[in-house]
Structures are given as C-alpha cells and as structure tokens.
Amino acid sequence: MRRVVFNQKGGVGKSTITSNLAAIAAHQGQRTLLVDLDRQGNSTRYLLGDAADEAGPGAAEFFETTLKFSVRAPKTSDFIVETPWENLHVMPAGPALDELHSKLESRYKIYKLRDALIELGEDYDEIWIDTPPSLNFYTRSALIAAEACLIPFDCDDFSRRALYELIENVNEIQADHNKDLVVGGIVVNQFQARAALPQRTVQALIDEGLPVLTPYLSASVKVKESHELARPMIHLDPKHKLSQEFVALYQALS
C-alpha cells in the first residue's frame, strides 16, 4: 500500500502524522518506507535525528537522475537509508529539491516517482509519502504514485474552507493521472475534546458526508518532546494517550 499525506496548508501535522504512522507500521512488523518530499526535511530529521545531516543521497538525488539517461542508472534503493527503528527506512529530503523543481516540471518527469515506488513494491509492505505544503511538482508526483491520500485537518474554519479545494485537487489528479487514487480519510489533528469549536467543526464535516477518520489525534505537548528527541511516539512513550490514538488510527486504516 502506498499512502500520501497531503495538505496545502502548512503546520497541520503532515510530517508528524506520516512519521508516526510509518513508525507504527514498522513496529508491527511491516517493511516500511517513508519518502520525504518536503525540502524542509522534517520527517527525515524526525526519524534520523542528527544523522539527517549526513544521510547521503535521497529524494533530490533520485529526481536528479531522472533528468539524464544513463546505461548504468542507479537503483531507487540507492537513495534510501535505514533509520534506528527496525523495518523502517527513509528516502531523505533536503533543500536541493528546490533547485530541481523547475527542471523536473519543464521536462515532465511527473511519473518517475510512481514507477520507482512500484519497483520497490517487492521490498516494502507499506510506503508513506510526506509532501510539501503546496500543490507543486513533488506533491503531484506523490498523488500520482499513491493509492490513498490522507488529509490532516486542523479544527478551524479556515482549514474547513480550504478542505473543499484540496479534495477537488485530489479528484482532478485522480481523473487525469491516477484512477486508482482514493481519499483514504481526513485525519483530525490537535483535537481538543473539551472545546466547543473543534467539536462543531468536525461534526460539520461528518454531516456533509466527508470521510473523517477516528480516533481524532489529541493536542499534546508530548509530541513536541517526540520531535526534539527524534523518537516517534510509539518508541518514546507507547502507553501515552496520543500514542494509543496513533495505533488505533493505523489499525483503522489497515
């Protein structure tokens, strides 16, 4: 299964959600790859810690090879590194992705990631893709390569209004490039159960028939500690409420 986590709005928890669900998949014995396409490399750093600075070739180098023909082209696995966690690998991201963007777009290399991930299908049970907060070349590549799209959702009216355009964009990719792509669900993040606004906002989505997933992910300062220590929640504190919510969410997707 290839899943992409996508939202055009920044700060909604894409990297946190992608990394934690991938970590849970690996923890449960699934051979798992996380592909980081966000030049900020938050997922890369989350899974590798300080080793992210010396991670070696990754997503940028992979895309760079698609711009030139070579008889001895490197394998996609050459751009993947191990994480400290068993069964979990990452294709790291970095700022060099920015430099390649216009070249890749003008040369129409939009299907190269899909082809590469299909090739890796025999090596991995699950592939998770983290995307930048915009509908650019890398995001489109990810949506074309994926089988399901998860949409992180902040519980406010701005996020709700942006959600409809986002779903339209996913549907357009589905119609034009990837008929197998489905919206796997909306992941409610930073949910405050005791506050009225988040409850009203999420209920409005449910009433409209949108695929809101449960459980909702609670707001917690523990996740910031998780970022700082570069330890996904399942490895930092598996009994924590948020860790259990991530596990339940993963099980709901399986």
Side-chain angles (χ1 to χ4, degrees):
M1 171 60 76
R2 302 184 301 277
R3 296 185 180 94
V4 57
V5 180
F6 165 54
N7 194 312
Q8 292 164 231
K9 186 173 181 286
V12 295
K14 289 190 302 296
S15 298
T16 299
I17 291 168
T18 312
S19 298
N20 276 282
L21 290 175
I24 289 167
H27 186 66
Q28 295 192 2
Q30 300 295 300
R31 296 169 301 169
T32 306
L33 170 66
L34 189 151
V35 178
D36 191 355
L37 299 182
D38 187 351
R39 52 96 54 207
Q40 297 180 74
N42 289 334
S43 286
T44 299
R45 187 160 294 277
Y46 196 3
L47 297 182
L48 297 180
D50 292 339
D53 296 327
E54 301 176 358
E61 289 78 9
F62 160 75
F63 280 108
E64 189 173 21
T65 64
T66 69
L67 293 170
K68 51 193 174 185
F69 175 78
S70 173
V71 176
R72 296 181 179 179
K75 298 178 181 178
T76 307
S77 57
D78 292 341
F79 306 103
I80 293 169
V81 299
E82 294 183 356
T83 73
W85 323 110
E86 187 178 2
N87 295 320
L88 183 57
H89 295 77
V90 61
M91 180 184 284
L97 286 167
D98 270 355
E99 302 166 14
L100 293 168
H101 187 272
S102 59
K103 293 179 182 178
L104 291 164
E105 204 159 40
S106 64
R107 300 274 294 277
Y108 207 70
K109 301 295 183 177
I110 201 77
Y111 295 102
K112 291 298 184 179
L113 180 66
R114 179 198 65 184
D115 296 344
L117 297 189
I118 289 174
E119 173 195 327
L120 289 173
E122 295 181 1
D123 298 326
Y124 294 100
D125 301 310
E126 298 192 22
I127 298 176
W128 293 81
I129 312 172
D130 189 14
T131 56
S134 61
L135 188 61
N136 64 10
F137 170 87
Y138 298 116
T139 303
R140 288 188 175 94
S141 293
L143 289 167
I144 289 170
E147 297 169 277
C149 174
L150 298 182
I151 303 172
F153 177 74
D154 264 359
C155 303
D156 61 51
D157 194 55
F158 290 141
S159 294
R160 180 187 169 194
R161 293 175 186 275
L163 186 62
Y164 306 115
E165 180 184 357
L166 193 154
I167 292 175
E168 285 179 7
N169 289 332
V170 173
N171 289 338
E172 183 179 350
I173 293 288
Q174 180 192 46
D176 294 344
H177 301 286
N178 184 2
K179 63 181 178 60
D180 297 324
L181 179 66
V182 298
V183 176
I186 297 166
V187 179
V188 177
N189 193 35
Q190 298 288 319
F191 186 71
Q192 295 174 306
R194 296 182 181 180
L197 177 60
Q199 293 188 37
R200 288 200 309 270
T201 305
V202 173
Q203 189 59 48
L205 299 182
I206 295 171
D207 292 343
E208 291 171 8
L210 294 175
V212 178
L213 297 169
T214 55
Y216 311 148
L217 301 175
S218 301
S220 173
V221 297
K222 194 71 174 179
V223 77
K224 294 182 179 180
E225 181 184 346
S226 173
H227 294 159
E228 181 182 8
L229 297 175
R231 296 181 68 88
M233 289 295 298
I234 194 67
H235 298 294
L236 177 67
D237 187 351
K239 295 183 179 179
H240 191 276
K241 178 183 179 183
L242 182 57
S243 302
Q244 293 301 305
E245 289 169 350
F246 271 119
V247 170
L249 179 61
Y250 173 77
Q251 290 173 342
L253 293 168
S254 301

